[in-house]
Every structure is written in C-alpha cells, then in structure tokens.
Amino acid sequence: MFAPPIKSAGDSKSFPENAPGEFAAIHQLLTDHCVECHTESSATPQAPFFANSDEAVAYEAAKSKIDLDTPSSSRLVVRLRSEFHNCWGDCQSDAQEMEDAITAFTNAIVLTQVDSQLVLSKALTLTDGIVASSGSRYETNLIALYEFKTGQGDTLFDTSGVEPGLHLTLSGVEDVDYKWVGGWGVEFITSKAQGSTTASKKLSDFIKASGEYSIEAWAVPSNVTQEGPARIVSYSGGVDARNFTLGQTLYNYDFLHRSSTTDGNGEPALSTADDDEDLQATQQHVVVTFDPVNGRRIYVNGAGTEDVDEQSPGNLTDWDDTFAFVLGSEVSSNRQWKGKLRLVAIHNRALTAEQIAQNFAAGVGEKFFLLFSVSDLVDVPDSYVMFEVSQFDSYSYLFNQPAFISLDQDAQPNNIRVQGMRIGINGREASVGQAYRNVDTTITTDSYTASGQVLSDLGTIIALEKGPESDEFFVTFERLGDNTNVVVEPTPLQPAAPADSDPVSDIGLRTFDEINATMAATTGVSITNANVQATFNTIKQQLPTVENVEGFLSSHQVAVSQLAIEYCNALVEDNSLRATFFPGFSFGASASAAFDSNAERDLVIDAILDNVMGTGLASQPNSATVKTELNDLIDKLTACGGGCAADRTETVVKAACAATLGSAALLLQ
C-alpha cells in the first residue's frame, strides 16, 4: 500500500445553501445565451438545466460547473475559452465575461477557516485515495454486465466481454426522464433502457444451454409504493409475455420466470413474503436464481429470503428468443420502475449462496482507501486512520470501516486511545452523518495486526458539497493518544408542537387479500376453488393495495366485480352451498315462477342481505333501499317471462348476489 500525499487541511469555500445575490450575474448570462438547450422546455433539452428561469433551480444545476477555488477552471468558462461552445460573440471575451461573473460570485463567499482547537489528521480529496480493487466479485459465468461507469450519454454498455455486446439505449431526456448517478449508476424516473432483440438473443442461447441462470442487481428503489409489479430487470415481449422479470410490488421483490410449469407470463410469480418487507427504499443487493433442481430462489443483501417456490422447477424449452432485454420498465413502456441501478449482471448459472455472499461483500461502485495521516499526533511512524470511501450517489459519500494502520512493518503501536472521531469536509466538521463520535477504543499490540486495527464496523453518509475532485476531507478526534479537544455538544432544540395534519377518513378500503378472504367467508366458497383462484391471480394486480379510500379507481371496481361474479357463480353452481345459503328457494323452477311472489324473492334477497351486509350494524347501507334495488334488478332480468332460458333462475340469483357482494358494503370498512 502506497503512502498518500501529506497536506494540512486548508481553509475552504463552500457553496451557500441558497443562491446569493452575486449569482444573479451568472444566471443572467446563462439565461441570455444558453436557454436554447439547457432548459427542460427546450426543443433539444441538454442537461444540466442551468439556464432555467427559476434562479434557485439554475443555481443547483450550475454548482457542478463552477470552481470556487479557481474560477478560470470552471466548466462554464472552459467551454467558452477552450472549446468554443455556443459563444455569443468573441469566445475569449465571452469566456472572460463569464469568469468575471464567477469571480465576483466566489469573492463574496466567506472563507471557512479550520478551527485551531481541533485535533485533526492531514487532509485528502477522494482522488488522493488508493483505488480499491473490485476483483473479489464472482463472475465466472457472466453473460451480461452493466456497471454504469460512463456517467453520460444515452447508452448503457455491456462490459461482460461476451459477444454480441448487449448494449442498452436509454429513452427520454437526461435529467428529466433519467439521471446519471455519481459513483456509477443510473436513476430511472420515466425512462427505460432497452437492447435490440438480436443482441438480447444471447441471453436465451446461453441460458437455455445451461438450463439455469441468475439475475443480480444493486438497486435503490425510490419508494415502497410501486405496483405492477414494476419492472426492474426484464427479458420480455410486453405486459403479458416474458422469459424472466425481476420486479417490485410495494415491499416485495417479484421473480417471474417462464418454464414448463409456469405460464407465458412467468406466473405464478415467486415473491418475498409481505410480512418480511424485504424490499426497502435504500441500496440493496438482490439476486434471483433458477436451476432445474432447486427452482427459483431470492436473496437480499447476501442472505436467502427463505421464500419457497411452490411450482416444480420445470424446464426452459418454451423460452422465446425474440424478446428484448430491458431495465426500468416494460418493453411496451409501461410498468415503470422508479429507482437507481448501480450494477446489473446476468449469469448463465445459478449462483451459490457463498458466491452471492461474496458479491455482496465486494460492494458496488468506485471505491477508494483514504489514509488520513496522524503520524504527527501519535508516536508511531507512518500511521494513518484508513476509511473505505465511495461516492454513494450524486449527493453524498459513503465512509465505511475506519481502521488504524501503520505502513511501517516494524511499528508496534500500543496504548493509543482513540475517542470521539468525526469527519471534516472543506474546513469544518460535517453537520450530519457523524456516526463515529461515540468511538472509544484503545490501540494495543494485542489487538493490532498487519492489516491494522478496526475502529468501528459502522458506515455513514457525508453530504457532497463541491464534488469528488474538490471536496477536501479530514478526521478530528476528541482524544488521540495524548492530544485532546474537549467537545461540548450543543443542547438540542426543543421540537415545536407538530401541526395538525389533514383529517383522515374513518372509512377505508379492503385490500386485495382482504377482499378475497371476505368474499370466501361470506359465500362459503373456498379461496382454493379452481375458477376463483384463477380469476384472483389474473386480477390481483388490479385490486386495491392500500386502504386509503381516496386512492380508489374505476379499475378497482371492475376487478372487484369480476371476483364477485366468480364467487357467486361458484356458490350457485354448488348444490350444497346454495341450499345452505338460500334455504327453501327452488332453483329448479322457471324464472317466471321462482320470482313470482315477494315471499319467493325474499328467500333470495334476505339471504343476500343477511350474509353480505349483515344486520344490526351501527353503520351500513339501508336495507330497504338495497332491497328495492335488488327487486328492480330481478324485474329487469325476468322480463323475458315464459320465454326465459332454462337456467335463467340461477343466472338471476348469481346477478343479485354479485351486485351486492361487489358493492361498497363489502369493499369499505
């Protein structure tokens, strides 16, 4: 391991949280001369959108193009002076005008001075670090790999080395429909990345040859409210046809896989259990595998979820090699997934649990070892506090696993107290993310090894300010060896009384499983009834998934009605069930005779009201009103009189049952 540069933490300038008045001159130049491209509303929008008419929006977009320490090195200046990009007059004078505006802006920013009382290490930028090797991943059977390293453009390159290269094209506009993520990654907003069917064919060829495969992804779901399932990784031909899909439904990962024991849409899917909530809106390593012995399996963050595939494994002979490989959505541009992908890999073997754990431990993204020199603070030559650091996304850094280490092989550090460690950035301690301030340990010869002594197993996030090339880091200590700095934590502010939130309705919706279970309990028809189960599996994604009544859609009602019809059909077709549900009613009579009198109709209507609506409840529909509606329905359905079909009586009862079972009386709770 090579020694890093030794430099003291310097005074630094940082971007103010809000645009100061001096930014107005820069904003004026940008809106006057860059608006034809660098705005969302442009006919040819080009990110970043620093020419937005909203100064606050433009300020956030322009930060990455401004060098606070050397204004002449700002990209806004270099693009004019050296690259002659979109000059509005003479490029040299235009560049000078931009540089003068940036200089005036930076001169107004107060220098952040390092507190002289701090016990601090030497300073480093991210690029001063030693690049951590990514060679510890298991990739023997890799057939497609996306590491998202380019950071620009609309192409995601397949870097597996297996021909043909399955390169993917991003749809939409950068920074509107998709965004490149710092530290390697792409965020999908309303976009997808799709390959050609010709190049995608290699997936079918390699996987059918081995009879097994794995889908591996480092993913960051934007939320846990996505339905569909939303497509994270898919090899498909549309909403209803696929070879495989890794998807998201709320807190669940879904694995749809076509085989001889599932249908052409890969259903029934293998999904993680609802109660486990394995999917979270944070960075996760997810792997799904298939092999002809074990079937489908799901792993999250290196561990199996223990969800059992109820389908026998089958084989892959029915796979369609005309489908296309796609990330972030369906090939038909629906079932959009919102989130970030930082690595995607397809293997033509089922990875073992050990191989998956190995890839999880290897991590993702560009990583550096930052060695902060503390030799001037302790009596140990070439001593450092080392962190594994990566750019977590476009807004933050991940600091992980700090350790004390000496590059002197003969060093024997002993009795060095390390207490209250904090991370500094650009001349001051970071205001948030100080996960190591409770560190209190001692370096001893017994605990120190050739690879150093670990100080903490924690990781933490530090906000990005200027960017990885410019942000300067250092480490401070309340105590390191004989050096101390007494830190008095500020008294926490008392939180204000929370504001009253919007009123919440006492009425909610039954969700999909609740609707299914309630209909089964009401009618006596088992949820395992073949026709009922098939209908439920088909429409499950169309039923309500949350209890909020304001989220009710017309599509929900269509699905509820379909399920109600199937339950009522199963009820009436079963002689034993219908005799129990409608005691005394003659199903063998013609429609004109069976519903001829009120007494005969009441045998049907009262049974439905008692079983579906219940009686004596504090809040329920008015029974008399519902009874009138059902009588009107029966009148319309028996208007054929003596000319009705022989099975008309059963049809009328099914209709009256479904009209009530699929109503708000069951749906609302």
Side-chain angles (χ1 to χ4, degrees):
M1 187 173 288
F2 299 100
I6 305 298
K7 56 184 179 182
S8 299
D11 300 336
S12 179
K13 290 184 178 182
S14 300
F15 285 100
E17 182 176 352
N18 300 312
E22 290 75 14
F23 180 71
I26 302 173
H27 186 233
Q28 190 64 55
L29 290 174
L30 296 173
T31 53
D32 284 349
H33 306 295
C34 305
V35 71
E36 291 184 6
C37 295
H38 290 281
T39 59
E40 299 92 326
S41 57
S42 168
T44 56
Q46 300 291 322
F49 301 124
F50 45 61
N52 192 293
S53 58
D54 186 324
E55 185 174 286
V57 174
Y59 177 60
E60 291 302 321
K63 284 181 180 179
S64 63
K65 306 301 178 184
I66 295 175
D67 189 327
L68 294 178
D69 301 314
T70 313
S72 61
S73 298
S74 300
R75 284 295 295 166
L76 293 176
V77 176
V78 173
R79 287 286 274 167
L80 294 167
R81 176 170 290 148
S82 303
E83 300 176 12
F84 317 113
H85 174 76
N86 198 36
C87 302
W88 53 89
D90 175 72
C91 285
Q92 298 306 310
S93 61
D94 295 346
Q96 190 61 50
E97 185 177 2
M98 180 65 76
E99 181 182 338
D100 291 345
I102 293 175
T103 300
F105 167 72
T106 60
N107 287 343
I109 297 175
V110 177
L111 201 65
T112 301
Q113 297 182 329
V114 180
D115 186 347
S116 60
Q117 299 299 313
L118 293 176
V119 176
L120 72 163
S121 70
K122 299 303 181 181
L124 297 169
T125 63
L126 190 63
T127 53
D128 290 331
I130 301 167
V131 177
S133 171
S134 61
S136 57
R137 279 181 49 81
Y138 181 86
E139 297 182 337
T140 301
N141 302 111
L142 204 64
I143 57 174
L145 176 64
Y146 304 90
E147 297 176 287
F148 312 110
K149 291 183 177 181
T150 52
Q152 61 183 350
D154 62 359
T155 302
L156 306 183
F157 293 100
D158 172 10
T159 57
S160 65
V162 177
E163 295 298 329
L166 179 47
H167 308 312
L168 311 179
T169 301
L170 287 157
S171 63
V173 177
E174 186 176 347
D175 277 356
V176 176
D177 301 299
Y178 65 89
K179 293 181 180 179
W180 286 92
V181 176
W184 305 345
V186 169
E187 180 178 5
F188 293 86
I189 304 169
T190 58
S191 179
K192 66 176 180 178
Q194 183 172 324
S196 69
T197 56
T198 302
S200 299
K201 184 176 181 293
K202 80 168 179 179
L203 299 181
S204 176
D205 291 344
F206 277 97
I207 291 172
K208 288 177 70 175
S210 65
E212 56 186 280
Y213 67 99
S214 302
I215 307 169
E216 178 187 9
W218 279 95
V220 189
S222 291
N223 55 60
V224 290
T225 60
Q226 302 186 61
E227 302 180 38
R231 311 314 199 220
I232 304 173
V233 181
S234 193
Y235 180 23
S236 52
V239 175
D240 301 317
R242 70 200 62 260
N243 290 332
F244 63 64
T245 289
L246 169 63
Q248 173 186 353
T249 301
L250 306 179
Y251 286 95
N252 301 332
Y253 285 109
D254 303 300
F255 183 14
L256 288 79
H257 153 84
R258 174 184 285 199
S259 76
S260 57
T261 58
T262 60
D263 64 17
N265 198 36
E267 294 181 307
L270 174 64
S271 299
T272 54
D274 292 345
D275 292 342
D276 291 345
E277 297 187 351
D278 288 307
L279 184 148
Q280 295 290 326
T282 187
Q283 181 168 288
Q284 293 186 308
H285 182 243
V286 55
V287 180
V288 296
T289 69
F290 168 82
D291 69 75
V293 175
N294 299 298
R296 293 175 291 187
R297 292 183 174 183
I298 302 176
Y299 299 81
V300 178
N301 289 343
T305 62
E306 300 182 356
D307 297 290
V308 178
D309 189 357
E310 296 181 355
Q311 304 300 308
S312 59
N315 57 63
L316 311 182
T317 56
D318 291 334
W319 270 34
D320 191 327
D321 63 8
T322 66
F323 289 163
F325 185 65
V326 62
L327 306 179
S329 185
E330 189 52 84
V331 293
S332 49
S333 297
N334 48 15
R335 301 292 193 270
Q336 178 70 50
W337 179 72
K338 295 181 183 295
K340 304 180 184 74
L341 287 174
R342 305 199 65 202
L343 181 144
V344 173
I346 307 297
H347 310 255
N348 71 329
R349 292 289 181 185
L351 295 177
T352 66
E354 293 74 21
Q355 291 161 354
I356 292 169
Q358 177 181 335
N359 285 2
F360 172 60
V364 68
E366 187 177 22
K367 294 179 290 186
F368 299 86
F369 290 119
L370 293 191
L371 279 73
F372 295 95
S373 175
V374 292
S375 296
D376 61 326
L377 300 174
V378 296
D379 189 21
V380 178
D382 294 330
S383 56
Y384 301 87
V385 171
M386 179 178 69
F387 286 84
E388 181 186 276
V389 184
S390 61
Q391 188 176 347
F392 185 71
D393 56 23
S394 298
Y395 312 100
S396 60
Y397 303 97
L398 172 62
F399 280 70
N400 195 28
Q401 296 180 326
F404 180 91
I405 188 171
S406 173
L407 300 185
D408 185 338
Q409 296 182 352
D410 298 325
Q412 295 290 325
N414 189 41
N415 199 30
I416 301 174
R417 182 82 174 273
V418 182
Q419 184 179 11
M421 190 166 64
R422 292 171 173 81
I423 296 171
I425 180 171
N426 297 331
R428 70 190 190 287
E429 292 179 340
S431 57
V432 295
Q434 299 294 1
Y436 308 113
R437 64 182 183 180
N438 294 323
V439 166
D440 190 353
T441 188
T442 301
I443 311 297
T444 66
T445 53
D446 292 336
S447 56
Y448 183 84
T449 67
S451 57
Q453 180 173 327
V454 174
L455 301 177
S456 173
D457 292 326
L458 298 177
T460 191
I461 297 295
I462 300 296
L464 180 148
E465 294 183 0
K466 300 179 184 179
E469 292 80 17
S470 302
D471 282 329
E472 184 181 74
F473 306 103
F474 55 90
V475 185
T476 70
F477 307 87
E478 291 182 34
R479 180 172 180 176
L480 180 61
D482 296 329
N483 301 278
T484 59
N485 174 43
V486 178
V487 176
V488 179
E489 297 287 352
T491 303
L493 296 175
Q494 291 297 319
D500 291 336
S501 53
D502 294 334
V504 178
S505 174
D506 292 331
I507 299 172
L509 298 173
R510 282 187 169 91
T511 57
F512 56 99
D513 280 332
E514 292 173 333
I515 292 171
N516 192 31
T518 303
M519 287 187 178
T522 300
T523 61
V525 176
S526 172
I527 58 175
T528 61
N529 178 282
N531 292 332
V532 165
Q533 193 172 45
T535 300
F536 179 69
N537 288 336
T538 300
I539 66 169
K540 179 179 179 180
Q541 296 176 7
Q542 194 178 330
L543 291 169
T545 57
V546 294
E547 296 182 350
N548 186 354
V549 73
E550 294 181 0
F552 184 69
L553 304 172
S554 58
S555 59
H556 292 155
Q557 184 60 62
V558 172
V560 171
S561 299
Q562 287 179 275
L563 191 60
I565 290 170
E566 197 56 61
Y567 267 103
C568 290
N569 180 68
L571 166 63
V572 175
E573 291 294 328
D574 188 305
N575 291 334
S576 176
L577 287 178
R578 76 187 189 188
T580 303
F581 198 95
F582 302 103
F585 182 74
S586 176
F587 283 92
S590 66
S592 58
F595 301 101
D596 186 48
S597 68
N598 288 336
E600 290 164 332
R601 291 188 179 204
D602 286 348
L603 292 174
V604 173
I605 296 175
D606 289 349
I608 292 173
L609 296 181
D610 290 346
N611 285 283
V612 178
M613 285 178 36
T615 58
L617 302 179
S619 176
Q620 66 184 121
N622 182 276
S623 296
T625 302
V626 176
K627 193 167 187 176
T628 299
E629 292 292 332
L630 292 178
N631 268 310
D632 289 344
L633 175 63
I634 292 172
D635 286 341
K636 293 177 182 178
L637 296 178
T638 57
C640 48
C644 291
D647 63 350
R648 191 66 166 183
T649 298
E650 293 180 350
T651 301
V652 173
V653 175
K654 292 176 185 177
C657 168
T660 313
L661 189 64
S663 70
L666 177 135
L667 186 60
L668 296 179
Q669 61 178 351

